[in-house]
Amino acid sequence: MTASLEQLRRCHFAVDLGAARTRVYVKGAGLVVDQPSAAAVNTRTGALIAVGELAEKMTGRTPDYIRVRRPVSGGTVVDIEMAQRMLRHLLGDKMRRSLRRKPILRAAACTPHNADPLAQRAAIETLVGLGARRVELVDTLIAAAVGCGLPVEQPEATMIMVCGAAATQVAVLSLGAIVSAERIPVGGEAVDQAIVQHLRHEHELMLPSQSVRPLQLALSGNGLTPQGPASTEIHGRDVATGLARSVQVDTAAVRDAIQTPLTAILDGIGKVLRSCPPDLVADLADRGIMMVGGSALLPGLDQMLRQATNMPVHIAERPDVCAVQGLGAMLEGRIEPLALDPLGS
């Protein structure tokens, strides 16, 4: 974590810019924005037509001159100007006016673990464009651990797995710091893409739109687990004829199709544990892994991790908003650091 708790207490709002969703926490008001990270733009005039949920619904359903853009990719802002415009509209005039009344507006932002200086600079520039005079950066792993109630500041091991849309981050924390961490470039989007490719190759079927989570369509009713339904009906477009068609998909085959991206996550967990001191790994045998992030709700993922690691696996109560809630707890001063007084001579 690059910012201290004292610095974060002075911040007025916090932003979690994710590849899938953008969330904003305002001090004293709570979570005020939780919308998809999408903006629809008229390419002829440059005008912003829609942001958030409405822009997400437009994906794949617009004329040629309207483009749905995603200013955040892999947890990094790739289009600073579009990200600023999107945030301004998501916050609304009333909230922006109240923030601008602060003499020195301070903001906090989540950044992926080991984010390069360019990615950190992009996050800072985005919030400076909203009027922030100072921006504090917090590691997503620390923020998410605080948000789901893990005893981060204690001298005991806690393991957290942040399952994002574009990447999965795994870390072991102790004494408020990261002991060992790994960032795996596999997330919910990779799993979705594996299902899309499976349906295309095995059934010659294209799903209606990439904006609709293929996972929710194909695996409704807990289909990823062996106890789920044996098959499910999928509606889509025939690759050859272009006509609408429905097929019965074997959920066991879909489970096999997504094993490849999920295996990379298991490899990342193994790397983190191998580089940890034995005392901390012994702690984890009892406490297990805490899963947060939107993709943590992938049906059967927690069960697969339990079988592969022989460790308890828990899913946070609200896994999708843990990171921004953790930032909010730091802003509100609800987190107290462990006091380590130097011993007298």
Side-chain angles (χ1 to χ4, degrees):
M1 183 167 61
T2 52
S4 69
L5 286 172
E6 189 58 42
Q7 290 171 320
L8 289 169
R9 285 195 189 104
R10 297 177 192 155
C11 293
H12 302 102
F13 72 103
V15 178
D16 177 16
L17 277 167
R21 296 184 77 86
T22 293
R23 299 175 178 93
V24 181
Y25 187 103
V26 175
K27 195 172 185 176
L31 187 64
V32 296
V33 173
D34 184 2
Q35 296 274 345
S37 302
V41 181
N42 185 328
T43 55
R44 293 174 181 170
T45 63
L48 198 62
I49 296 171
V51 295
E53 296 279 2
L54 184 55
E56 180 84 355
K57 289 177 183 175
M58 289 183 179
T59 306
R61 296 181 173 88
T62 59
D64 289 343
Y65 64 90
I66 295 177
R67 296 280 175 84
V68 177
R69 293 181 179 168
R70 296 186 175 274
V72 186
S73 176
T76 303
V77 178
V78 292
D79 188 339
I80 295 173
E81 183 189 354
M82 187 56 63
Q84 290 172 350
R85 293 174 71 185
M86 180 184 75
L87 277 171
R88 284 193 202 104
H89 282 79
L90 288 175
L91 278 170
D93 292 337
K94 185 178 178 182
M95 185 58 71
R96 281 190 292 125
R97 276 198 299 269
S98 69
L99 288 173
R100 277 202 297 264
R101 293 193 190 106
K102 312 292 182 187
I104 299 178
L105 185 62
R106 295 170 181 260
C110 281
T111 54
H113 180 65
N114 278 346
D116 58 71
L118 200 61
Q120 293 180 7
R121 190 68 197 166
I124 292 170
E125 288 291 336
T126 301
L127 298 187
V128 166
L130 290 177
R133 298 284 295 276
R134 184 177 176 89
V135 180
E136 309 292 353
L137 299 181
V138 181
D139 195 302
T140 303
L141 290 163
I142 298 281
V146 170
C148 63
L150 291 177
V152 180
E153 70 283 356
Q154 297 301 319
E156 55 189 41
T158 53
M159 189 169 193
I160 188 159
M161 187 166 90
V162 180
C163 309
T168 300
Q169 301 174 72
V170 185
V172 173
L173 312 174
S174 182
L175 281 174
I178 295 171
V179 178
S180 174
E182 194 73 28
R183 188 168 183 267
I184 307 120
V186 171
E189 290 174 355
V191 174
D192 289 353
Q193 193 60 32
I195 296 171
V196 169
Q197 293 300 323
H198 171 76
L199 294 175
R200 186 183 179 98
H201 293 146
E202 297 297 323
H203 301 279
E204 296 186 345
L205 190 78
M206 290 182 69
L207 289 179
S209 170
Q210 294 299 319
S211 67
V212 179
R213 290 270 303 188
L215 195 60
Q216 303 302 323
L217 291 172
L219 303 173
S220 57
N222 232 13
L224 248 186
T225 60
Q227 293 78 26
S231 64
T232 186
E233 188 176 22
I234 300 293
H235 306 282
R237 192 185 79 186
D238 189 281
V239 173
T241 65
L243 301 175
R245 186 161 66 90
S246 300
V247 296
Q248 283 290 331
V249 177
D250 180 15
T251 50
V254 176
R255 274 203 305 276
D256 293 339
I258 67 173
Q259 286 303 310
T260 303
L262 295 183
T263 302
I265 295 175
L266 293 176
D267 291 343
I269 292 174
K271 281 184 185 177
V272 169
L273 291 174
R274 283 194 295 273
S275 59
C276 262
D279 291 338
L280 293 181
V281 177
D283 286 349
L284 295 173
D286 297 326
R287 295 193 182 88
I289 306 170
M290 178 64 79
M291 292 172 61
V292 301
S295 300
L297 299 172
L298 182 68
L301 177 57
D302 56 334
Q303 185 179 356
M304 189 193 79
L305 290 177
R306 271 189 215 102
Q307 292 173 350
T309 61
N310 291 319
M311 289 163 58
V313 177
H314 315 282
I315 300 176
E317 189 176 343
R318 291 196 62 196
D320 51 336
V321 295
C322 279
V324 74
Q325 292 286 14
L327 281 178
M330 296 177 197
L331 261 62
E332 304 281 6
R334 295 197 295 267
I335 307 299
E336 290 295 331
L338 183 69
L340 293 174
D341 295 325
L343 297 175
S345 54

